[in-house]
Amino acid sequence: MSVTARAARSGQSVSPRVLLVVRDYPGYVVAELAWASGRALEEVLAWLGWPRAREAGELVSVRERLQARSNDYWLLEAAMAALELPEAGRGLPVLPGVRVVVSARGAQSVLAGTVGSVVEAAEGLPGRTAWECVVVDDLSETPLRLPAGLPPQVRLVRAEERVYRGGARNLGQGLSRQPVTVFIDDDLQMAPNYLREHVVRHLLSPCLVTVSGRVEYLEPAAPRPGRLPYGRQGSADAFRQLGAGGMVGPREVYRLVGRGDLVASRPLADMGFPPDYVAYGPEDETFVAKALSRGAFVVPVAETGVFRRGYGRAGDLVSQDMARVDAFLENMGRQEVHLDAPADGGWAAAR
């Protein structure tokens, strides 16, 4: 920006460029990523986590802010190519510290597999990378128990009242000391390369949400395969083309999530999830909509994924299903309130 301004003042004809530089030595250019387009300045500032230019004199809603931007994360792909990531990341001595938050209720039968997959994925991180895992028991009727033999980085906390999935995630994030957080459901098991593949991308931006590109469903008694999940691979083109023409509508956000896992940089993770959804709700979609409205990018990681383990919960399944449908419809009404609320404010309870 400084070089371009000096050139303009001197009357020179100049085209702005996007450069990858070492943060502590801004004069050291690692690579030229791209010639800038007309929208590049705002996108680069958003990528760096700098505040966007605010609309003067009015509160702008999440819905309105979405319609003013796209999810074209070309800058991430250019930076990763210049640094030969993710392959080169395997040789790094350390990655950003990561906390895994598992929101759980009545999941004792699958908890060992879920937590075991986190520990295995953590073993694939560079040796000096800090990691933690907190399982948040959302007041299960029978309190959950961790299996024996886990490393000290894994612990269990129990909510004092029902807080549902979004509240459990917020509780776990409030205990976090790490710059990157993985939010994952209790019936998901990570692929062994999950943490490494996600976290290496968070090296490049403090305003990023990554999601798994693959999900595969397993029977309750089936062993976890020693391979990547099959499932559908997230199409990078589909994610980048989302909002073509400068439009990202709330409905399009659903294409970005829905697998039960999100990985967020600290500023976004601290934003939290809506606290007013009950039972099954669109927590992930609403979180991503607000993150996008604040300048974040949502990126699929096709090189890894999750296995979803089917299991039954205690109680009358028919009545549970009916209650889940009613609660979901109520939550959809609450989501409309959140989308119409100011993008830069907190979560307004929509009960």
Side-chain angles (χ1 to χ4, degrees), residues 19 36 39 66 73 80 97-98 101 142 208 250 253 259 261 293 335-336:
L19 306 177
R39 68 187 186 195
L66 286 178
Y73 47 86
M80 291 188 67
V98 59
V101 176
T142 300
L208 188 66
V253 171
R259 299 167 183 86
D261 70 309
S293 75
Q335 185 184 42
E336 292 300 307

Side-chain angles (χ1 to χ4, degrees), residues 51-100:
R52 299 176 69 253
R54 302 303 183 193
E55 299 82 353
E58 59 180 323
L59 294 176
V60 179
S61 71
V62 172
R63 197 188 307 272
E64 291 170 322
R65 188 71 67 71
L66 286 178
Q67 295 173 352
R69 58 151 306 174
S70 76
N71 190 51
D72 187 355
Y73 47 86
W74 61 272
L75 189 59
L76 172 68
E77 294 190 338
M80 291 188 67
L83 294 175
E84 298 182 347
L85 295 174
E87 288 299 321
R90 298 180 182 180
L92 294 173
V94 66
L95 287 174
V98 59
R99 169 181 286 259
V100 180

Side-chain angles (χ1 to χ4, degrees), residues 101-108 111 134-145 155-172 184-186 274-275 277-281 283 311 313 351:
V101 176
V102 182
S103 53
R105 177 173 168 83
Q108 190 64 56
L111 190 58
V134 57
V135 178
V136 181
D137 181 356
D138 185 20
L139 209 64
S140 299
E141 294 180 7
T142 300
L144 297 176
R145 305 178 311 278
R155 61 174 171 147
L156 172 71
V157 298
R158 181 171 165 85
E160 297 180 355
E161 60 180 352
R162 282 297 309 273
V163 291
Y164 301 96
R165 183 169 65 168
R169 290 177 170 183
N170 293 341
L171 177 58
I184 193 167
D185 289 351
D186 55 16
Y277 291 149
V278 298
Y280 176 74
E283 295 93 350
Y311 72 102
R313 299 180 188 270
R351 292 185 186 277

